Amino acid sequence: MPHLPQQPQLGSPTPHMVVCGDDALAHRLAAELRDVYRERVTLVVPSAREPLRHRVPPPARGLGRATALLG
C-alpha cells in the first residue's frame, strides 16, 4: 500500500460544509448554507468526463425555481 505525502498543517482547519450532487436541491442547499447561514461550502459535482449515461442532469424546472427563489 503506497503512502500518501504528509500535508502541511496551517493551524486549525476552517470548518465548512460539503454538499454532494449536481441537481437543483444540491445547488439550492449550497446557496442557502452560504447566503443565509454564512457557512463555507464546498459543492462536489460529478466529473464532466464521466459518461452522460451515469450522470443525472439537473431538472430545468426545479433549477429555475431555485434560481428564482435565491435570486
Side-chain angles (χ1 to χ4, degrees), residues 12-56:
S12 61
T14 305
H16 67 279
M17 301 285 193
V18 177
V19 177
C20 300
D22 195 21
D23 59 358
L25 178 61
H27 286 266
R28 181 176 153 218
L29 177 59
E32 184 172 328
L33 287 168
R34 182 194 64 215
D35 297 338
V36 176
Y37 297 101
R38 303 288 184 221
E39 294 286 341
R40 276 189 63 208
V41 180
T42 300
L43 181 61
V44 180
V45 297
S47 169
R49 290 179 274 169
E50 189 174 322
L52 286 177
R53 68 178 186 272
H54 292 110
R55 294 188 313 174
V56 178

